[in-house]
Amino acid sequence: MFITLEGPEGSGKTSQLPPLVEFLRGKGYTVFPTREPGGTSIGEQIRTVLHSLKNAEMNPRTETLLYQAARAQFVEQVVRPRLAAGEIVLSDRYADSTIAYQGYGHQQDLEQVRALVKYATGGQVPDLTLLLDVDVEIGLERGAQRRARGGEWNRLDAYQLEFHQRVRAGYLAMVKQEPERWVVVDAGKKWDEVQSQLRTNILKRLIGI
Ligand code: TMP
């Protein structure tokens, strides 16, 4: 099963993922945790280019294409082989991030962006996508606090409030378009409650109840 975590900035995906992996392993599943952009050596190099504050002049189309380059490698090198081996691939972000950020956020033509994503993924779609949904201002405030504690500050963090509002609206639109694949978890709740919601929803899908 291919499971992805998605969400706007400050949704807490990254801190929720490791305990989720431990929980699923404790239930006897073989889980491969990974993240995008990255997950492969080539992908991590592309991530550095995408996140570097030196690249402030990056055009949105360049940004879109770099994410797809990293993704094509990720699908072939990580996702397909692990799924073929019967593992659960649990990824912190995947193709829906491109639709949300480059499509809705940068307001690029959605049909063109979808076509690029399809090319990069070879049509590999997650079986389950959990949206950690959080109010944009709360999410951005969480991000600011994380950076004040020494967390990573990347080029995309400089995008404005309206950009992030479009990203969140984009995610919610995608949920409406494909409700059978998505589960929305309220990430404004306490960390433990969010973790418990994630566990319940993944188990439900795994054991088919
Ligand atoms: P994060 O997941 O560590 O928050 O950072 C990844 C950043 O990259 C985040 O700002 C969202 C952005 N991103 C895109 O804009 N498009 C994509 O396709 C992916 C995977 C990530």
Side-chain angles (χ1 to χ4, degrees), residues 2-14 17 34-39 47 51 67 71 74 79 89-98 100-102 126 129-132 146 154 156-157 164 167 171 182:
F2 182 23
I3 304 173
T4 56
L5 300 188
E6 292 284 351
E9 304 306 302
S11 60
K13 289 176 292 86
T14 308
L17 196 131
T34 185
R35 70 167 181 184
E36 267 215 349
R47 183 185 180 96
H51 284 188
Y67 281 115
R71 181 161 300 134
F74 176 70
V79 181
V89 176
L90 181 56
S91 185
D92 181 349
R93 297 197 184 281
Y94 181 60
D96 299 306
S97 285
T98 290
Y101 282 79
Q102 282 65 55
T129 300
L130 297 141
L131 173 62
L132 282 80
R146 193 186 63 231
N154 71 50
L156 293 103
D157 291 323
H164 293 288
V167 168
Y171 274 126
W182 290 81

Side-chain angles (χ1 to χ4, degrees), residues 58-192:
M58 190 180 294
N59 180 278
R61 290 206 300 276
T62 312
E63 191 178 290
T64 304
L65 290 167
L66 283 173
Y67 281 115
Q68 304 330 299
R71 181 161 300 134
Q73 193 68 26
F74 176 70
V75 169
E76 292 311 322
Q77 208 176 328
V78 176
V79 181
R80 290 200 204 283
R82 298 275 170 185
L83 292 178
E87 298 181 24
I88 294 177
V89 176
L90 181 56
S91 185
D92 181 349
R93 297 197 184 281
Y94 181 60
D96 299 306
S97 285
T98 290
I99 311 291
Y101 282 79
Q102 282 65 55
Y104 286 92
H106 284 310
Q107 298 176 298
Q108 297 186 91
D109 184 276
L110 280 176
E111 284 317 306
Q112 286 187 349
V113 174
R114 285 197 189 103
L116 287 172
V117 164
K118 197 167 174 196
Y119 176 72
T121 60
Q124 186 77 51
V125 177
D127 298 294
L128 170 66
T129 300
L130 297 141
L131 173 62
L132 282 80
D133 184 43
V134 69
D135 176 81
V136 172
E137 291 184 33
I138 295 174
L140 290 175
E141 177 54 32
R142 283 180 180 170
Q145 285 172 8
R146 193 186 63 231
R147 286 189 291 277
R149 294 193 301 268
E152 184 203 39
W153 164 265
N154 71 50
R155 191 179 55 82
L156 293 103
D157 291 323
Y159 291 145
Q160 301 302 311
L161 179 64
E162 297 75 46
F163 173 87
H164 293 288
Q165 279 164 338
R166 288 196 298 273
V167 168
R168 183 184 181 208
Y171 274 126
L172 294 172
M174 283 189 270
V175 174
K176 282 210 176 121
Q177 287 154 17
E178 238 184 316
E180 61 298 336
R181 172 161 70 88
W182 290 81
V183 170
V184 183
V185 170
D186 181 356
K189 296 242 168 80
K190 287 208 189 89
W191 189 93
D192 289 1

Side-chain angles (χ1 to χ4, degrees), residues 187-205:
K189 296 242 168 80
K190 287 208 189 89
W191 189 93
D192 289 1
E193 204 167 321
V194 177
Q195 177 71 204
S196 148
Q197 283 285 313
L198 294 171
R199 289 180 183 188
T200 307
N201 280 294
I202 292 177
L203 273 189
K204 254 196 210 164
R205 198 60 71 100

